[in-house]
Amino acid sequence: VLSTVKTMMTDKADAYATFWREFGRVVKEGLLDDVENRDAILDIASFDSTHDADRQTTLAQYVERMAEGQQHIYYLTSESRAAIERSPHMEAFSAKGFEVLVLTDPVDEMWVDAVPGFDGKQFQSIAKGQVDLDTDEEKSAAEARKKDFADLLAWMTEALEENVKEVRLSSRLTTSPACIVGDTYDLSPNLEKMYRAMGQEPPQIKRILELNPTHPLVTGLRDAYGEREDRT
């Protein structure tokens, strides 16, 4: 069946599009259950992405378009494309032209954590862990900012320790002042909702608060903290 679908992708594109629209969600469940055929399923799968809002992409096409030096297949999961496009996590990726897979099926929340990668490229959520999109020059500037904001970040981390795991500077924000991200292996907020909908209470997870060091609100906060007489 998988071989037939792969042939259909190239020989009968319209028929494949109909097949995937009707059965794609079910086929993707095989990424969790059928490890032996996982690579074959990835070969025939199609996904929405930021490259073209009207046409899905295969992983092979995504990899072919990857920027020079890009090591990860970036994705973001949510309940809708509109929510993903509005997400502050998208800002730097949009600004720098990095393509992001738009994953909105409930099964997407599961398989992306179970599948190690495709064609030697690992999947990486743009809402988890650290992202590395900066040039060498931008990295040097970021290191300087860390020293500039070190006192504020330490104070905020301590002040908010009951609610967040860490407060740090962000490289994924360009216009928003702040965003919440997860650690690399944390459950996504959407997956937590799914567990609760099934009557299961997931473990409590502290998120990471990231600040945009170029936003006036954040630089103003840094300056105000620096002027405090009672700061430690």
Side-chain angles (χ1 to χ4, degrees), residues 61-74:
Q61 291 168 336
Y62 179 103
V63 171
E64 189 175 324
R65 290 190 296 266
M66 284 173 61
E68 184 178 354
Q70 183 179 337
Q71 297 300 315
H72 297 90
I73 297 173
Y74 296 116

Side-chain angles (χ1 to χ4, degrees), residues 59-195:
L59 293 176
Q61 291 168 336
Y62 179 103
V63 171
E64 189 175 324
R65 290 190 296 266
M66 284 173 61
E68 184 178 354
Q70 183 179 337
Q71 297 300 315
H72 297 90
I73 297 173
Y74 296 116
Y75 71 88
L76 186 59
T77 59
S78 189
E79 296 176 348
S80 68
R81 184 183 187 99
I84 288 176
E85 291 177 340
R86 291 194 304 266
S87 171
H89 302 107
M90 285 289 304
E91 292 178 1
F93 291 86
S94 298
K96 297 189 175 185
F98 284 89
E99 183 176 355
V100 177
L101 297 181
V102 175
L103 305 182
T104 57
D105 289 337
V107 69
D108 292 331
E109 294 284 354
M110 304 288 191
W111 73 258
V112 287
D113 288 330
V115 177
F118 174 83
D119 195 23
K121 308 294 184 181
Q122 289 185 319
F123 293 101
Q124 180 175 333
S125 169
I126 67 171
K128 292 183 183 181
Q130 299 273 16
V131 298
D132 184 11
L133 305 180
D134 292 342
T135 63
D136 290 340
E137 184 177 344
E138 289 171 330
K139 288 177 182 178
S140 297
E143 285 301 318
R145 289 195 192 103
K146 283 183 182 179
K147 296 178 182 178
D148 194 25
F149 282 84
D151 291 343
L152 173 66
L153 297 177
W155 172 73
M156 290 187 69
T157 297
E158 182 177 357
L160 300 173
E161 63 180 348
E162 292 186 6
N163 304 106
V164 300
K165 185 182 299 184
E166 179 188 358
V167 182
R168 68 190 184 199
L169 298 184
S170 180
S171 61
R172 72 188 89 212
L173 296 174
T174 60
T175 57
S176 298
C179 70
I180 295 293
V181 303
D183 247 347
T184 304
Y185 301 107
D186 283 351
L187 295 179
S188 70
N190 211 34
L191 189 54
E192 287 187 50
K193 291 180 184 177
M194 290 172 59
Y195 277 120

